[in-house]
Amino acid sequence: MADSRTAAAASAGATPLIRVEGLHKSFGDLEVLKGIDLTVLPGEVVTMIGASGSGKSTLLRCLNLLERPDRGQVWFRDQDLTADRCDVNALREHIGMVFQGFNLFNNMDVLDNCTLAPVTLKKMSKAEAEQVALGHLSSVGLEEFAHANVSRLSGGQKQRVAIARALCMNPEIMLFDEPTSALDPEIVGEVLEVMRGLADDGMTMVVVTHEMDFARTVSDRVVFMDQGVICEEGDPEKIFGAPEHERTREFLARYLED
């Protein structure tokens, strides 16, 4: 499936949906990103792997300027998000984001969580937004929980609501920041299954993850980061089967041992 998505992106002209050039980011004296270059094609699934602290989540958050880089550019649909004249909030409406901590509103039911942004930002009618939301809740297997109190849901259900909520804005790309890291092991699979379905449907995705099986079987391209730089990137067969960089081999050797 990944090969067919890559071929489709190439046949469409392979103009990157996201392009990152020379990205640097520091927090105080700690330099977290050290000159990152990256492209993401329409319909492509890119996973970012690496040890904790390697800069993966910071890079992901720079893609929609939740973290503003110190130097470098982030281009989305050929618009420089880092430019002073850029309406970042308008462009963010096309970039879905799913966090490891769900970030749902506990004082709202599931349906209201999903309809808030479309009604507020896209000016949808409440009835239209609810129809769209119910469709996405159905696609993640939660339509019957539309009026449930969010606080009563399991972690896996909350994350699936978060995915449905992001989809309600009809994004062109979905960013996932370790979406299963806060979940109990037995319910990780239900979230990964939803993400596999999105990939099969052609959604452009950038996923920071420690789920190596997902990276190996769903990705079009795997990016391995270490100490703020991209050490190596390529298709899963290359990265998992014949990594070139010593640091990549060391990281994957520990994964295979585990």
Side-chain angles (χ1 to χ4, degrees):
M1 183 61 70
D3 290 342
S4 64
R5 290 196 303 266
T6 305
S11 66
T15 300
L17 185 60
I18 283 185
R19 178 163 48 96
V20 175
E21 296 181 348
L23 208 65
H24 290 258
K25 177 65 181 178
S26 296
F27 296 99
D29 294 331
L30 178 63
E31 188 177 18
V32 178
L33 300 178
K34 305 173 182 178
I36 299 292
D37 297 316
L38 180 71
T39 59
V40 181
L41 301 177
E44 190 176 28
V45 178
V46 177
T47 55
M48 294 193 288
I49 64 172
S52 297
S54 59
K56 307 182 302 298
S57 291
T58 299
L59 173 56
L60 191 79
R61 291 170 65 86
C62 283
L63 297 184
N64 62 359
L65 261 63
L66 287 178
E67 297 289 353
R68 182 168 284 275
D70 301 322
R71 283 186 286 144
Q73 282 77 44
V74 178
W75 299 80
F76 174 65
R77 298 195 308 181
D78 289 329
Q79 297 187 61
D80 184 359
L81 295 182
T82 61
D84 291 338
R85 66 185 181 278
C86 179
D87 187 346
V88 174
N89 288 329
L91 287 175
R92 278 189 185 137
E93 293 182 17
H94 304 278
I95 304 174
M97 182 94 182
V98 176
F99 303 87
Q100 57 180 300
F102 319 133
N103 288 21
L104 299 174
F105 296 105
N106 286 326
N107 62 328
M108 299 180 180
D109 68 17
V110 167
L111 191 60
D112 285 341
N113 265 274
C114 292
T115 59
L116 178 63
V119 169
T120 305
L121 300 176
K122 286 186 172 290
K123 308 304 180 185
M124 279 188 188
S125 69
K126 186 65 182 291
E128 180 185 4
E130 287 184 352
Q131 183 178 11
V132 171
L134 288 171
H136 288 303
L137 288 171
S138 177
S139 72
V140 301
L142 290 175
E143 185 176 15
E144 65 186 277
F145 291 89
H147 297 291
N149 187 315
V150 166
S151 63
R152 296 181 179 275
L153 301 180
S154 70
Q157 289 170 332
K158 288 179 180 178
Q159 196 60 291
R160 285 186 282 155
V161 171
I163 294 172
R165 178 182 63 177
L167 292 173
C168 286
M169 290 294 287
N170 192 29
E172 295 181 44
I173 184 171
M174 289 281 286
L175 310 179
F176 292 87
D177 187 9
E178 300 193 25
T180 61
S181 64
L183 302 180
D184 293 332
E186 63 267 22
I187 58 177
V188 165
E190 65 188 52
V191 174
L192 293 179
E193 190 61 30
V194 170
M195 294 170 64
R196 289 176 190 272
L198 289 176
D200 290 344
D201 289 340
M203 174 62 73
T204 309
M205 298 163 59
V206 182
V207 184
V208 172
T209 186
H210 291 287
E211 299 291 338
M212 294 299 141
D213 186 63
F214 180 89
R216 184 166 51 183
T217 59
V218 179
S219 305
D220 298 295
R221 185 153 44 98
V222 178
V223 174
F224 172 68
M225 291 188 65
D226 184 57
Q227 298 184 9
V229 301
I230 294 177
C231 284
E232 189 169 355
E233 62 179 301
D235 64 66
E237 183 177 354
K238 171 184 176 294
I239 296 299
F240 286 93
E244 297 177 357
H245 197 284
E246 177 63 27
R247 186 68 188 90
T248 315
R249 291 195 291 269
E250 291 174 356
F251 174 81
L252 291 176
R254 287 204 302 272
Y255 150 68
L256 290 172
E257 288 173 4
D258 292 341

